[in-house]
Amino acid sequence: THPNLAITPAFLTRLELDATERLIEAITDRRSALFRPPYFGDADPSTNDELLPVSVANDLGYITAGLKVDSDDWLETSAAQIIANVLVARDDGNVVLLHDSGGDRSATVAAVGPLIDSLQARGDTLVLLSTLLGLTRDQAMPPLPVESATSRGVTLAAFFAVGAVQNTLYWIFLVAVVLGAARIVALLTLASLHRARTGRRKAITLDFAPAVSVIVPAYNEATVIEKTIRSLLAQQYTGPLEVVIVDDGSPDFTGDIARATFRQHDRVAVFSKANGGKASALNYGMQRATGDIVICLDADTVFETGTIAALVQPMRDPRIGAVAGNAKVGNRLNLITRWQALEYVTSQNVDRRAFDLLNCITVVPGAVGAWRRSAILNVGGFSHDTLAEDQDATIALRKAGWRIAYAEHAVAWTEAPDTFASLAKQRFRWSFGTLQCAWKHRDALLRRKFGTLGMIALPNTWLFQLLFAALSPLADLIFVLSVCSVGTAYMQHGSTFAWQAGIKLASMYTVFLLMDWTAAMIAFVLEPGEDRRLTWLILSQRFAYRQVMYWVVVRSFVAAAKGGLVGWGTLERKGTVAFIDR
């Protein structure tokens, strides 16, 4: 790697010599007895430090070749200047240094012929370095024994593999950066157009009020079920409204608490059934619901008073089969939940705004979503064969020809995991469920008959939510290796080179962070009333939170490859959702 061996630790010097020797042997079938240290000063030692690499090379059996005549061709000057440099310095020594790599060497190649003619015209004789040393060619570069052919092949394959991995990582990183940047620009542009089209909240007409049934599937929700139901009963909705609580076999008396608390409310119906999972609970409630529009929400979610009215408005269009609401983190208690609040605004809601324009929303969130009851029943209800029943049902509706809308003013405040362990558990379920849905509906991928779902939404899911997320640890690995390379540059070249490398690395990463922060600010501008101070968490989110997200995606692929069953799991509810009703 062309280090300055005068300042390089001895172990790195030996590593450089051994690696270079192995590569020469693998390619030429000969070993080299000669060694010329990089940098002119090392090749003609004048200090004790410069003698160290010569000592290491001597211990390894090399003959160090010094020089005095430097052509300075590494400066990429003209052929004429290279010739002049050599002719001026020729009286100081008899070994001339030319370079065959490390930059554009066309001038060096052009100078070789005229330089030889010029030296010979001055009476110089040109010989091999081995001849100057009194060695034969085979002594200077001894051929390897025949039996070493296999090891040579292995060595050469190893070097090619290392090079291939480096090149592959580089191109993956480059393609990911370009596509990722293009995606961000496209999504933010579409989201901004969506915001301009929908206008401000005060311009929304809330005169569409069909019969609505709200289904709340509940399992071990004793700490939050009362707050959730009260937020539903407080809705400023003028149409018929019923609340259907489905206790899915909770051992913590969730159903009993709901019955005892709301026994006098004729709009609240509480049912209990054997545990069968969220999809089972939703289908159970769907069969008992009477409203034309069914709204589903998780039991840890609290609606603003105008959420239901805003959520059903897009349903006035008979082509719309489901509406996604605006989910927000309601328990911003620590750094982990604040990171999620940032993610909900900058990722999930921006995506839904953009995809609403393209009619390719793939997830009506379980926290806040409205479904046309006849439509969801016609596609078979909520399926049991994925962990993302809301995404599965959304894609099924879209494939059946229904449109999916986004209601930005239908705000729901949900309880997010507040520890890394619970966050990883939740996101693994989301990621694995997304993988299941993408695979289940692969028949629509890149199929024109499914419109933007097949040509945009599903490719986006496969490429950005799954594949790039699984490969994202490579980007972090490249960053770590880049930081290590700065340290290596310091050991091999000194502080000047290390400083230059460090500045370049810091500049590139700063650009990435500024892009992230700018995108986040635009996303928050699109969300009136959001706390824009959260955008300053972008830096810490990149160095901690995103690694958890990468890990769960990789884990999802591993689980899918193993083919084992993955359960829904349970998350501890703490009843910490707090919000200001706007």
Side-chain angles (χ1 to χ4, degrees), residues 435-518:
L435 181 58
Q436 288 177 311
C437 287
W439 182 255
K440 177 179 178 180
H441 297 285
R442 64 189 183 278
D443 60 318
L445 182 64
L446 299 177
R447 296 282 299 279
R448 290 185 179 275
K449 66 175 290 188
F450 295 107
T452 53
L453 172 70
M455 302 305 294
I456 296 177
L458 288 178
N460 173 77
T461 298
W462 276 108
L463 189 60
F464 293 104
Q465 291 183 245
L466 296 172
L467 181 59
F468 275 16
L471 294 176
S472 290
L474 294 179
D476 289 345
L477 176 61
I478 291 174
F479 176 73
V480 171
L481 292 177
S482 298
V483 172
C484 292
S485 71
V486 174
T488 303
Y490 178 79
M491 289 190 293
Q492 293 186 329
H493 302 286
S495 58
T496 301
F497 282 92
W499 177 256
Q500 293 174 352
I503 290 295
K504 181 179 179 181
L505 178 63
S507 299
M508 292 177 60
Y509 210 76
T510 299
V511 170
F512 281 121
L513 291 177
L514 284 175
M515 289 174 56
D516 269 357
W517 184 80
T518 302

Coordinates of all heavy atoms in Angstrom, one line a residue, residues 435-518:
L435 N -41.7 -9.0 5.0 CA -41.1 -10.0 4.1 C -42.1 -11.0 3.7 O -42.2 -11.4 2.6 CB -39.9 -10.7 4.9 CG -39.1 -11.7 4.1 CD1 -38.6 -11.2 2.8 CD2 -38.0 -12.3 5.0
Q436 N -42.9 -11.5 4.7 CA -44.0 -12.4 4.3 C -45.0 -11.9 3.3 O -45.3 -12.6 2.4 CB -44.8 -12.8 5.6 CG -44.0 -13.7 6.6 CD -44.8 -14.0 7.8 OE1 -45.3 -13.0 8.5 NE2 -44.9 -15.2 8.2
C437 N -45.4 -10.6 3.5 CA -46.3 -10.0 2.6 C -45.7 -9.8 1.2 O -46.4 -10.1 0.2 CB -46.8 -8.6 3.1 SG -47.9 -8.7 4.5
A438 N -44.5 -9.4 1.2 CA -43.8 -9.2 -0.1 C -43.7 -10.5 -0.9 O -43.9 -10.6 -2.1 CB -42.4 -8.6 0.1
W439 N -43.4 -11.6 -0.2 CA -43.3 -12.9 -0.8 C -44.7 -13.4 -1.2 O -44.9 -13.9 -2.3 CB -42.7 -13.9 0.1 CG -42.5 -15.2 -0.5 CD1 -43.2 -16.4 -0.2 CD2 -41.5 -15.6 -1.5 NE1 -42.7 -17.4 -0.9 CE2 -41.7 -17.0 -1.7 CE3 -40.6 -14.9 -2.2 CZ2 -41.0 -17.7 -2.7 CZ3 -39.8 -15.6 -3.1 CH2 -40.0 -16.9 -3.4
K440 N -45.7 -13.2 -0.3 CA -47.1 -13.7 -0.6 C -47.6 -13.0 -1.8 O -48.3 -13.7 -2.6 CB -47.9 -13.4 0.6 CG -49.4 -13.8 0.4 CD -50.2 -13.6 1.7 CE -51.7 -13.9 1.5 NZ -52.5 -13.7 2.7
H441 N -47.4 -11.8 -2.0 CA -47.9 -11.0 -3.1 C -46.9 -10.8 -4.2 O -47.0 -9.8 -5.0 CB -48.5 -9.7 -2.6 CG -49.6 -9.8 -1.6 ND1 -50.9 -10.2 -2.0 CD2 -49.6 -9.7 -0.3 CE1 -51.6 -10.2 -0.9 NE2 -50.9 -9.9 0.1
R442 N -46.0 -11.7 -4.3 CA -44.9 -11.5 -5.4 C -45.5 -11.6 -6.8 O -44.8 -11.2 -7.7 CB -43.8 -12.6 -5.2 CG -44.3 -14.0 -5.3 CD -43.2 -15.0 -4.9 NE -43.5 -16.4 -5.1 CZ -44.3 -17.1 -4.2 NH1 -44.8 -16.5 -3.1 NH2 -44.6 -18.4 -4.5
D443 N -46.7 -12.2 -6.9 CA -47.3 -12.3 -8.2 C -47.6 -11.0 -8.8 O -47.8 -10.8 -10.0 CB -48.6 -13.2 -8.2 CG -49.6 -12.6 -7.2 OD1 -49.2 -12.1 -6.2 OD2 -50.8 -12.6 -7.6
A444 N -47.7 -9.9 -8.0 CA -48.0 -8.6 -8.4 C -46.7 -7.8 -8.8 O -46.8 -6.7 -9.3 CB -48.8 -7.8 -7.4
L445 N -45.6 -8.3 -8.4 CA -44.3 -7.5 -8.5 C -44.0 -7.3 -10.0 O -44.0 -8.3 -10.8 CB -43.2 -8.3 -7.9 CG -41.8 -7.6 -7.9 CD1 -41.8 -6.3 -7.1 CD2 -40.7 -8.6 -7.3
L446 N -43.8 -6.0 -10.4 CA -43.5 -5.6 -11.7 C -44.5 -6.1 -12.8 O -44.2 -6.3 -13.9 CB -42.1 -6.1 -12.1 CG -40.9 -5.6 -11.2 CD1 -39.6 -6.3 -11.7 CD2 -40.9 -4.1 -11.3
R447 N -45.8 -6.2 -12.3 CA -46.9 -6.6 -13.2 C -47.7 -5.3 -13.5 O -48.3 -4.7 -12.6 CB -47.8 -7.6 -12.6 CG -47.0 -9.0 -12.4 CD -46.9 -9.8 -13.7 NE -48.2 -10.1 -14.2 CZ -49.0 -11.1 -13.8 NH1 -48.6 -11.9 -12.8 NH2 -50.1 -11.3 -14.4
R448 N -47.8 -4.9 -14.8 CA -48.5 -3.7 -15.2 C -50.0 -3.8 -14.8 O -50.6 -2.7 -14.6 CB -48.3 -3.5 -16.7 CG -46.9 -3.1 -17.1 CD -46.8 -2.7 -18.5 NE -45.4 -2.3 -18.9 CZ -45.0 -1.1 -18.8 NH1 -45.7 -0.1 -18.2 NH2 -43.7 -0.8 -19.2
K449 N -50.5 -4.9 -14.8 CA -52.0 -5.0 -14.5 C -52.3 -4.5 -13.1 O -53.5 -4.2 -12.9 CB -52.4 -6.5 -14.7 CG -51.9 -7.5 -13.7 CD -52.5 -8.9 -13.9 CE -53.9 -8.9 -13.5 NZ -54.5 -10.3 -13.5
F450 N -51.3 -4.5 -12.2 CA -51.6 -4.0 -10.9 C -51.2 -2.6 -10.7 O -51.1 -2.1 -9.6 CB -50.9 -4.9 -9.9 CG -51.4 -6.3 -9.9 CD1 -50.6 -7.4 -10.4 CD2 -52.6 -6.6 -9.3 CE1 -51.1 -8.7 -10.4 CE2 -53.1 -7.9 -9.3 CZ -52.4 -9.0 -9.8
G451 N -50.8 -1.9 -11.8 CA -50.6 -0.5 -11.8 C -49.4 -0.1 -10.9 O -48.3 -0.8 -10.9
T452 N -49.5 1.0 -10.1 CA -48.4 1.5 -9.3 C -48.1 0.5 -8.2 O -47.0 0.6 -7.6 CB -48.8 2.8 -8.8 OG1 -50.0 2.8 -8.1 CG2 -48.8 3.9 -9.9
L453 N -49.0 -0.3 -7.8 CA -48.7 -1.3 -6.7 C -47.6 -2.2 -7.2 O -46.6 -2.5 -6.5 CB -50.0 -2.2 -6.4 CG -49.7 -3.3 -5.4 CD1 -49.4 -2.9 -4.0 CD2 -50.9 -4.3 -5.4
G454 N -47.7 -2.8 -8.4 CA -46.8 -3.7 -8.9 C -45.5 -3.0 -9.5 O -44.4 -3.6 -9.4
M455 N -45.6 -1.8 -10.0 CA -44.5 -1.2 -10.6 C -43.7 -0.2 -9.7 O -42.5 0.1 -10.0 CB -45.0 -0.4 -11.8 CG -45.7 -1.2 -12.9 SD -44.8 -2.6 -13.4 CE -43.4 -1.8 -14.3
I456 N -44.3 0.2 -8.6 CA -43.6 1.2 -7.7 C -43.6 0.6 -6.3 O -42.5 0.5 -5.6 CB -44.3 2.5 -7.7 CG1 -44.2 3.1 -9.1 CG2 -43.7 3.5 -6.7 CD1 -44.8 4.5 -9.3
A457 N -44.8 0.4 -5.7 CA -44.9 0.1 -4.3 C -44.1 -1.2 -3.9 O -43.3 -1.2 -2.9 CB -46.3 0.0 -3.8
L458 N -44.4 -2.3 -4.6 CA -43.8 -3.6 -4.2 C -42.3 -3.6 -4.5 O -41.5 -4.1 -3.7 CB -44.4 -4.7 -4.9 CG -45.8 -5.1 -4.4 CD1 -46.5 -6.2 -5.2 CD2 -45.8 -5.4 -2.9
P459 N -41.8 -3.0 -5.7 CA -40.4 -2.9 -5.9 C -39.7 -2.0 -4.8 O -38.6 -2.3 -4.3 CB -40.2 -2.2 -7.2 CG -41.5 -2.6 -8.0 CD -42.5 -2.7 -6.9
N460 N -40.4 -1.0 -4.3 CA -39.9 -0.1 -3.2 C -39.8 -1.0 -1.9 O -38.8 -0.9 -1.2 CB -40.9 1.0 -2.9 CG -40.5 1.8 -1.7 OD1 -39.6 2.6 -1.7 ND2 -41.3 1.6 -0.6
T461 N -40.7 -1.8 -1.7 CA -40.7 -2.7 -0.5 C -39.5 -3.7 -0.6 O -38.7 -3.8 0.4 CB -42.0 -3.5 -0.3 OG1 -43.1 -2.6 -0.2 CG2 -41.9 -4.5 0.9
W462 N -39.4 -4.3 -1.7 CA -38.3 -5.3 -1.8 C -36.9 -4.6 -1.8 O -36.0 -5.1 -1.1 CB -38.4 -6.1 -3.2 CG -39.3 -7.2 -3.1 CD1 -40.6 -7.4 -3.6 CD2 -39.1 -8.5 -2.4 NE1 -41.1 -8.6 -3.4 CE2 -40.2 -9.3 -2.6 CE3 -38.0 -9.0 -1.7 CZ2 -40.3 -10.6 -2.1 CZ3 -38.1 -10.3 -1.1 CH2 -39.2 -11.1 -1.3
L463 N -36.8 -3.5 -2.5 CA -35.5 -2.9 -2.7 C -35.1 -2.1 -1.4 O -34.0 -2.3 -0.9 CB -35.5 -1.9 -3.9 CG -34.1 -1.4 -4.3 CD1 -33.2 -2.5 -4.7 CD2 -34.3 -0.4 -5.5
F464 N -35.9 -1.2 -1.0 CA -35.5 -0.3 0.1 C -35.9 -0.8 1.5 O -35.1 -0.6 2.4 CB -36.1 1.1 -0.1 CG -35.6 1.8 -1.4 CD1 -36.4 1.8 -2.5 CD2 -34.4 2.3 -1.4 CE1 -35.9 2.5 -3.7 CE2 -33.9 3.0 -2.5 CZ -34.6 3.0 -3.7
Q465 N -37.0 -1.4 1.7 CA -37.4 -1.8 3.0 C -36.7 -3.1 3.4 O -36.5 -3.4 4.6 CB -38.9 -2.0 3.1 CG -39.7 -0.7 3.1 CD -41.2 -0.9 3.2 OE1 -42.0 -0.6 2.3 NE2 -41.6 -1.4 4.4
L466 N -36.4 -3.9 2.4 CA -35.9 -5.3 2.7 C -34.4 -5.4 2.3 O -33.5 -5.6 3.1 CB -36.7 -6.4 2.1 CG -38.2 -6.4 2.6 CD1 -39.0 -7.4 1.8 CD2 -38.2 -6.9 4.1
L467 N -34.1 -5.3 1.0 CA -32.8 -5.6 0.5 C -31.8 -4.6 1.0 O -30.8 -5.0 1.6 CB -32.8 -5.7 -1.0 CG -31.5 -6.0 -1.7 CD1 -31.0 -7.4 -1.2 CD2 -31.6 -6.0 -3.2
F468 N -32.0 -3.3 0.7 CA -31.1 -2.3 1.1 C -31.0 -2.3 2.7 O -29.9 -2.0 3.2 CB -31.5 -0.9 0.6 CG -31.0 -0.7 -0.8 CD1 -30.6 -1.7 -1.6 CD2 -31.0 0.6 -1.3 CE1 -30.1 -1.5 -2.9 CE2 -30.6 0.8 -2.6 CZ -30.2 -0.2 -3.4
A469 N -32.1 -2.5 3.4 CA -32.0 -2.5 4.8 C -31.1 -3.7 5.3 O -30.3 -3.5 6.3 CB -33.4 -2.6 5.4
A470 N -31.2 -4.8 4.6 CA -30.3 -5.9 5.0 C -28.9 -5.7 4.7 O -28.0 -6.2 5.3 CB -30.8 -7.2 4.3
L471 N -28.6 -4.9 3.6 CA -27.3 -4.6 3.2 C -26.7 -3.4 3.9 O -25.5 -3.1 3.8 CB -27.2 -4.4 1.7 CG -27.5 -5.6 0.8 CD1 -27.5 -5.2 -0.7 CD2 -26.5 -6.7 1.1
S472 N -27.5 -2.6 4.6 CA -27.1 -1.4 5.3 C -25.9 -1.6 6.2 O -25.1 -0.7 6.4 CB -28.3 -0.7 6.0 OG -29.2 -0.2 5.1
P473 N -25.9 -2.7 6.9 CA -24.7 -2.9 7.8 C -23.4 -2.8 7.0 O -22.3 -2.5 7.6 CB -24.9 -4.3 8.4 CG -26.4 -4.5 8.4 CD -26.9 -3.8 7.2
L474 N -23.4 -3.1 5.7 CA -22.2 -3.0 4.9 C -21.7 -1.5 4.9 O -20.5 -1.2 4.9 CB -22.4 -3.5 3.5 CG -22.7 -5.0 3.3 CD1 -22.9 -5.4 1.9 CD2 -21.5 -5.8 3.9
A475 N -22.7 -0.6 4.8 CA -22.4 0.8 4.8 C -21.7 1.2 6.1 O -20.7 1.9 6.1 CB -23.6 1.7 4.6
D476 N -22.2 0.7 7.2 CA -21.6 0.9 8.5 C -20.2 0.3 8.6 O -19.2 0.9 9.1 CB -22.4 0.4 9.6 CG -23.7 1.2 9.8 OD1 -23.8 2.3 9.3 OD2 -24.6 0.8 10.5
L477 N -20.1 -0.9 8.0 CA -18.8 -1.6 7.9 C -17.8 -0.7 7.1 O -16.6 -0.6 7.6 CB -18.9 -3.0 7.3 CG -17.6 -3.8 7.1 CD1 -16.9 -4.0 8.5 CD2 -17.9 -5.1 6.4
I478 N -18.2 -0.2 6.0 CA -17.3 0.6 5.2 C -16.9 1.9 6.0 O -15.7 2.3 5.9 CB -18.0 1.0 3.9 CG1 -18.2 -0.2 3.0 CG2 -17.2 2.1 3.1 CD1 -19.0 0.1 1.7
F479 N -17.8 2.4 6.7 CA -17.5 3.6 7.5 C -16.4 3.3 8.6 O -15.5 4.0 8.8 CB -18.7 4.2 8.2 CG -18.5 5.3 9.1 CD1 -18.1 6.6 8.6 CD2 -18.5 5.2 10.5 CE1 -17.8 7.7 9.5 CE2 -18.2 6.2 11.3 CZ -17.9 7.5 10.8
V480 N -16.7 2.1 9.3 CA -15.7 1.7 10.3 C -14.3 1.4 9.7 O -13.3 1.8 10.2 CB -16.2 0.4 11.0 CG1 -15.1 -0.1 12.0 CG2 -17.5 0.8 11.9
L481 N -14.3 0.8 8.5 CA -13.1 0.5 7.9 C -12.4 1.8 7.4 O -11.2 1.9 7.5 CB -13.3 -0.4 6.6 CG -13.7 -1.8 6.9 CD1 -14.0 -2.6 5.6 CD2 -12.7 -2.6 7.8
S482 N -13.2 2.8 7.0 CA -12.6 4.1 6.6 C -12.0 4.8 7.8 O -10.9 5.4 7.7 CB -13.7 5.0 6.1 OG -14.3 4.4 4.9
V483 N -12.6 4.7 9.0 CA -12.0 5.2 10.2 C -10.7 4.5 10.5 O -9.7 5.2 10.9 CB -13.0 5.1 11.4 CG1 -12.4 5.6 12.7 CG2 -14.3 6.0 11.1
C484 N -10.8 3.2 10.4 CA -9.5 2.4 10.6 C -8.4 2.8 9.7 O -7.3 2.8 10.0 CB -9.8 0.9 10.6 SG -10.9 0.3 11.9
S485 N -8.8 3.1 8.4 CA -7.8 3.4 7.4 C -7.2 4.8 7.7 O -6.0 5.0 7.4 CB -8.5 3.5 6.0 OG -9.3 4.6 5.9
V486 N -7.9 5.7 8.4 CA -7.3 6.9 8.8 C -6.2 6.6 9.9 O -5.1 7.2 9.8 CB -8.4 7.9 9.4 CG1 -7.7 9.1 10.0 CG2 -9.3 8.3 8.3
G487 N -6.5 5.7 10.8 CA -5.5 5.3 11.8 C -4.3 4.6 11.1 O -3.2 4.9 11.5
T488 N -4.6 3.8 10.1 CA -3.5 3.1 9.4 C -2.7 4.2 8.6 O -1.4 4.1 8.6 CB -4.1 2.1 8.4 OG1 -4.9 1.2 9.1 CG2 -2.9 1.4 7.7
A489 N -3.3 5.2 8.1 CA -2.6 6.2 7.3 C -1.7 7.0 8.3 O -0.6 7.4 7.9 CB -3.6 7.2 6.7
Y490 N -2.1 7.1 9.5 CA -1.3 7.8 10.5 C 0.0 7.0 10.8 O 1.1 7.5 10.9 CB -2.1 8.1 11.8 CG -1.2 8.7 12.9 CD1 -1.0 10.1 12.8 CD2 -0.7 8.0 13.9 CE1 -0.2 10.7 13.8 CE2 0.1 8.6 14.9 CZ 0.3 9.9 14.8 OH 1.1 10.5 15.8
M491 N -0.2 5.7 10.9 CA 0.9 4.8 11.2 C 1.9 4.7 10.1 O 3.1 4.6 10.2 CB 0.4 3.4 11.7 CG -0.2 3.4 13.0 SD -0.6 1.7 13.6 CE -1.8 1.2 12.4
Q492 N 1.3 4.7 8.8 CA 2.1 4.5 7.7 C 2.7 5.7 7.0 O 3.7 5.7 6.3 CB 1.3 3.7 6.6 CG 1.0 2.3 7.1 CD 0.3 1.5 6.0 OE1 -0.4 2.1 5.1 NE2 0.5 0.2 5.9
H493 N 2.0 6.9 7.2 CA 2.4 8.1 6.4 C 2.6 9.3 7.3 O 3.0 10.3 6.8 CB 1.3 8.4 5.4 CG 1.1 7.3 4.4 ND1 2.0 7.0 3.4 CD2 0.1 6.4 4.3 CE1 1.6 5.9 2.7 NE2 0.4 5.6 3.2
G494 N 2.2 9.2 8.6 CA 2.3 10.3 9.5 C 1.1 11.2 9.6 O 0.0 10.9 8.9
S495 N 1.1 12.2 10.3 CA -0.1 13.0 10.6 C -0.6 13.8 9.4 O -1.8 14.0 9.3 CB 0.3 14.0 11.8 OG 1.4 14.9 11.4
T496 N 0.3 14.2 8.5 CA -0.2 15.0 7.4 C -1.2 14.2 6.5 O -2.3 14.6 6.2 CB 0.9 15.5 6.5 OG1 1.8 16.3 7.3 CG2 0.4 16.3 5.3
F497 N -0.8 13.0 6.1 CA -1.7 12.1 5.3 C -2.9 11.7 6.1 O -4.0 11.7 5.5 CB -0.9 10.9 4.8 CG 0.0 11.1 3.7 CD1 1.3 11.5 3.9 CD2 -0.4 11.0 2.4 CE1 2.2 11.7 2.9 CE2 0.4 11.3 1.3 CZ 1.8 11.6 1.6
A498 N -2.7 11.4 7.4 CA -3.9 11.0 8.2 C -4.9 12.1 8.3 O -6.1 11.9 8.3 CB -3.4 10.5 9.6
W499 N -4.4 13.4 8.5 CA -5.3 14.5 8.6 C -6.0 14.7 7.3 O -7.2 15.0 7.4 CB -4.4 15.8 8.9 CG -5.2 17.0 9.0 CD1 -5.3 18.0 8.1 CD2 -6.1 17.4 10.0 NE1 -6.1 19.0 8.4 CE2 -6.6 18.7 9.7 CE3 -6.5 16.9 11.2 CZ2 -7.6 19.4 10.5 CZ3 -7.4 17.5 12.0 CH2 -7.9 18.8 11.6
Q500 N -5.4 14.6 6.2 CA -6.1 14.7 4.9 C -7.2 13.7 4.7 O -8.3 14.0 4.3 CB -5.1 14.6 3.8 CG -4.1 15.8 3.7 CD -3.0 15.6 2.6 OE1 -2.9 14.6 2.0 NE2 -2.2 16.7 2.4
A501 N -6.8 12.4 5.1 CA -7.8 11.4 5.0 C -9.0 11.6 5.9 O -10.1 11.3 5.6 CB -7.1 10.0 5.2
G502 N -8.6 12.0 7.2 CA -9.7 12.3 8.1 C -10.6 13.4 7.7 O -11.8 13.3 7.9
I503 N -10.1 14.5 7.2 CA -10.9 15.6 6.7 C -11.8 15.1 5.6 O -13.0 15.5 5.5 CB -10.0 16.8 6.2 CG1 -9.3 17.4 7.4 CG2 -10.8 17.8 5.5 CD1 -10.3 18.1 8.4
K504 N -11.3 14.3 4.7 CA -12.1 13.8 3.5 C -13.2 13.0 4.1 O -14.4 13.1 3.6 CB -11.2 13.0 2.6 CG -11.9 12.5 1.4 CD -11.0 11.7 0.5 CE -11.7 11.1 -0.7 NZ -10.8 10.4 -1.6
L505 N -12.9 12.1 5.0 CA -14.0 11.2 5.6 C -15.0 12.0 6.3 O -16.2 11.8 6.1 CB -13.3 10.1 6.5 CG -14.3 9.2 7.2 CD1 -15.0 8.3 6.2 CD2 -13.5 8.3 8.2
A506 N -14.5 12.9 7.1 CA -15.5 13.7 7.9 C -16.4 14.6 7.0 O -17.6 14.8 7.3 CB -14.7 14.6 8.9
S507 N -15.8 15.1 5.9 CA -16.5 15.9 5.0 C -17.7 15.1 4.3 O -18.8 15.6 4.2 CB -15.6 16.5 3.9 OG -14.6 17.3 4.5
M508 N -17.3 13.9 3.9 CA -18.3 13.1 3.2 C -19.4 12.7 4.2 O -20.6 12.8 3.8 CB -17.6 11.8 2.7 CG -16.7 12.0 1.5 SD -15.8 10.5 1.0 CE -17.3 9.5 0.6
Y509 N -19.1 12.4 5.4 CA -20.1 12.0 6.4 C -21.0 13.2 6.8 O -22.2 13.0 7.0 CB -19.5 11.3 7.6 CG -20.4 10.3 8.2 CD1 -20.5 9.0 7.6 CD2 -21.1 10.6 9.4 CE1 -21.4 8.1 8.2 CE2 -22.0 9.6 9.9 CZ -22.1 8.4 9.3 OH -23.0 7.5 9.8
T510 N -20.3 14.3 6.8 CA -21.1 15.5 7.2 C -22.1 15.8 6.1 O -23.3 16.2 6.4 CB -20.2 16.7 7.3 OG1 -19.2 16.5 8.4 CG2 -20.9 18.0 7.6
V511 N -21.8 15.6 4.8 CA -22.7 15.8 3.7 C -23.9 14.8 3.9 O -25.1 15.2 3.7 CB -22.0 15.5 2.4 CG1 -23.1 15.5 1.2 CG2 -21.0 16.6 2.1
F512 N -23.6 13.6 4.2 CA -24.7 12.6 4.4 C -25.6 13.1 5.6 O -26.9 13.0 5.5 CB -24.1 11.2 4.8 CG -23.7 10.5 3.6 CD1 -22.4 10.0 3.5 CD2 -24.5 10.2 2.5 CE1 -21.9 9.3 2.4 CE2 -24.1 9.5 1.4 CZ -22.8 9.1 1.3
L513 N -25.0 13.5 6.7 CA -25.8 13.9 7.8 C -26.7 15.2 7.5 O -27.8 15.3 7.9 CB -24.9 14.2 9.0 CG -24.3 13.0 9.6 CD1 -23.3 13.4 10.8 CD2 -25.3 12.0 10.2
L514 N -26.1 16.1 6.7 CA -26.8 17.3 6.3 C -28.0 16.9 5.4 O -29.1 17.5 5.5 CB -25.9 18.3 5.6 CG -24.9 19.1 6.5 CD1 -24.0 19.9 5.7 CD2 -25.7 20.0 7.5
M515 N -27.8 15.9 4.5 CA -28.9 15.5 3.7 C -30.0 14.9 4.5 O -31.2 15.2 4.3 CB -28.4 14.4 2.7 CG -27.5 15.0 1.6 SD -26.8 13.7 0.5 CE -28.2 12.8 0.0
D516 N -29.6 14.1 5.5 CA -30.6 13.5 6.4 C -31.4 14.5 7.1 O -32.6 14.5 7.3 CB -29.9 12.5 7.4 CG -29.8 11.1 6.9 OD1 -30.3 10.8 5.8 OD2 -29.2 10.3 7.6
W517 N -30.6 15.5 7.7 CA -31.2 16.5 8.5 C -32.2 17.4 7.6 O -33.3 17.8 8.1 CB -30.2 17.4 9.2 CG -30.8 18.4 10.1 CD1 -31.2 18.3 11.4 CD2 -31.0 19.8 9.8 NE1 -31.7 19.5 11.9 CE2 -31.5 20.4 10.9 CE3 -30.7 20.6 8.6 CZ2 -31.9 21.8 11.0 CZ3 -31.0 22.0 8.7 CH2 -31.6 22.5 9.8
T518 N -31.7 17.8 6.4 CA -32.5 18.6 5.5 C -33.8 17.8 5.2 O -34.9 18.4 5.2 CB -31.8 18.9 4.3 OG1 -30.6 19.6 4.6 CG2 -32.6 19.8 3.3

